[in-house]
């Protein structure tokens, strides 16, 4: 198996330069487990500011990007621009992009394909709503979302899949380790059948949704949970404990 643990932070539309200075300070202080990949998603306007200050063991990611290199798309940024300022990562398909900004499975898949083709690495987000879970549709939803991406890409090397049940995001209602592990394992089975055993075995599937220093260790002990995508808790020093959850 040997998948390197991966902990992402998602600052969402939060902070300012002073706040970023504070986050960078605790990231620099660490200590950060060298066996963990750490990537923090920063608002686009501060990407270069954060990049200039982040320690070498932390990568800065954009939280979104469009599906073409340039053009008449007011307000958007492209993977080429993200790469141009020296960044490697982008978060795509977050449930807030899907629910609030109407991003379809198809658009997320096109964005993922284009970002990978532009040389970026992608944290691709999927996850069901509470209504979908209560209707017994969890697997159907996450398989549908993953299938849309699988239809566009062939090389998963630079992809990290983030399973983020929408009902756990920002609610304090974390999925139990058993609930999260069950979906991660089903996703790995799906990948083995529909993509390849190699991708199924090597792809990191990370969990997001109210991860805290208090629940990260237990979640991280599950065999198919390869890390986290952390929102609120990534803005505070406790994020270091989450990064080191496997220690
Ligand atoms: O949206 C999230 C999770 O947010 P919270 O940790 O605040 O639930 N990650 O991308």
């Amino acid at each position: 198996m040997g998948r390197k643990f991966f902990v992402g932070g998602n600052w969402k539309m939060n902070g300012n330069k002073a706040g970023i200075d504070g986050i960078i300070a605790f990231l620099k202080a660490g200590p950060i487990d060298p066996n963990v990949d750490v990537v923090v998603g920063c608002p686009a306007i501060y990407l270069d500011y954060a990049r200039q200050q982040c320690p070498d063991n932390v990568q800065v990611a954009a939280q979104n990007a469009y599906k073409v290199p340039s053009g008449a798309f007011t307000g958007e940024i492209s993977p080429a621009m993200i790469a141009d300022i020296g960044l490697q990562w982008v978060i795509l398909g977050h449930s807030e992009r899907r629910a609030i900004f109407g991003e379809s499975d198809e658009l997320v898949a096109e964005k993922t394909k284009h970002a990978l083709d532009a040389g970026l690495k992608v944290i691709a987000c999927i996850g069901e709503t509470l209504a979908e879970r209560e209707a017994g549709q969890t697997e159907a939803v996450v398989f549908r979302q993953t299938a849309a991406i699988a239809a566009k890409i062939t090389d998963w090397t630079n992809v990290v899949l983030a399973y983020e049940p929408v009902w756990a995001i920002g609610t304090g209602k974390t999925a139990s380790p058993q609930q999260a592990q069950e979906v991660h394992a089903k996703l790995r089975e799906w990948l083995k059948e529909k993509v390849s055993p190699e991708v199924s075995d090597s792809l990191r599937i990370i969990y997001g949704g109210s991860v805290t220093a208090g629940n990260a260790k237990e979640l991280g002990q599950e065999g198919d949970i390869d890390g986290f995508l952390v929102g609120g808790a990534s803005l505070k020093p406790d994020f270091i404990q989450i990064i080191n959850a496997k220690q």
Side-chain angles (χ1 to χ4, degrees):
M1 201 162 47
R3 297 182 292 267
K4 188 175 182 184
F5 209 61
F6 184 103
V7 176
N10 179 2
W11 301 346
K12 304 191 181 186
M13 190 178 78
N14 290 303
N16 51 30
K17 290 169 81 170
I20 289 172
D21 293 346
I23 294 170
I24 301 288
F26 70 67
L27 290 173
K28 279 181 176 173
I32 286 177
D33 183 343
N35 298 310
V36 179
D37 284 334
V38 182
V39 176
V40 291
C42 169
I45 195 165
Y46 296 121
L47 282 171
D48 203 37
Y49 182 78
R51 177 194 60 80
Q52 290 173 41
Q53 301 192 70
C54 244
D56 291 344
N57 56 349
V58 176
Q59 297 283 318
V60 177
Q63 296 177 11
N64 184 37
Y66 197 44
K67 64 178 184 179
V68 294
S70 62
F73 305 100
T74 302
E76 291 294 321
I77 64 173
S78 73
M81 295 170 177
I82 295 164
D84 188 43
I85 66 166
L87 299 182
Q88 298 177 44
W89 285 92
V90 62
I91 300 169
L92 293 174
H94 190 278
S95 62
E96 289 144 12
R97 300 296 314 170
R98 295 172 186 263
I100 301 165
F101 301 100
E103 294 197 6
S104 64
D105 293 347
E106 178 68 11
L107 177 58
V108 171
E110 289 172 340
K111 286 184 167 193
T112 301
K113 162 78 171 156
H114 177 63
L116 293 172
D117 288 351
L120 293 188
K121 300 174 182 177
V122 174
I123 299 172
C125 301
I126 59 173
E128 82 286 1
T129 64
L130 183 60
E132 289 165 338
R133 173 168 280 265
E134 288 176 343
Q137 292 300 305
T138 297
E139 285 178 34
V141 169
V142 297
F143 290 168
R144 188 201 74 223
Q145 293 170 326
T146 307
I149 295 169
K152 296 284 185 195
I153 73 171
T154 50
D155 185 350
W156 291 73
T157 309
N158 290 325
V159 177
V160 171
L161 190 61
Y163 166 59
E164 298 199 301
V166 179
W167 48 272
I169 294 176
T171 61
K173 293 181 203 141
T174 319
S176 70
Q178 294 69 29
Q179 283 177 315
Q181 165 59 26
E182 181 182 359
V183 176
H184 283 228
K186 292 286 187 188
L187 282 164
R188 222 174 281 285
E189 280 172 34
W190 186 94
L191 288 162
K192 185 176 182 180
E193 184 189 333
K194 305 290 187 183
V195 180
S196 76
E198 293 74 23
V199 169
S200 171
D201 200 41
S202 60
L203 183 72
R204 283 161 313 166
I205 305 175
I206 64 177
Y207 167 78
S210 296
V211 173
T212 66
N215 58 39
K217 272 198 183 304
E218 196 181 0
L219 282 162
Q221 284 166 359
E222 295 295 332
D224 289 299
I225 298 179
D226 302 315
F228 308 115
L229 186 52
V230 183
S234 70
L235 300 169
K236 295 170 245 169
D238 270 4
F239 186 51
I240 297 298
Q241 291 182 60
I242 297 169
I243 290 169
N244 297 329
K246 292 288 273 189
Q247 280 183 339

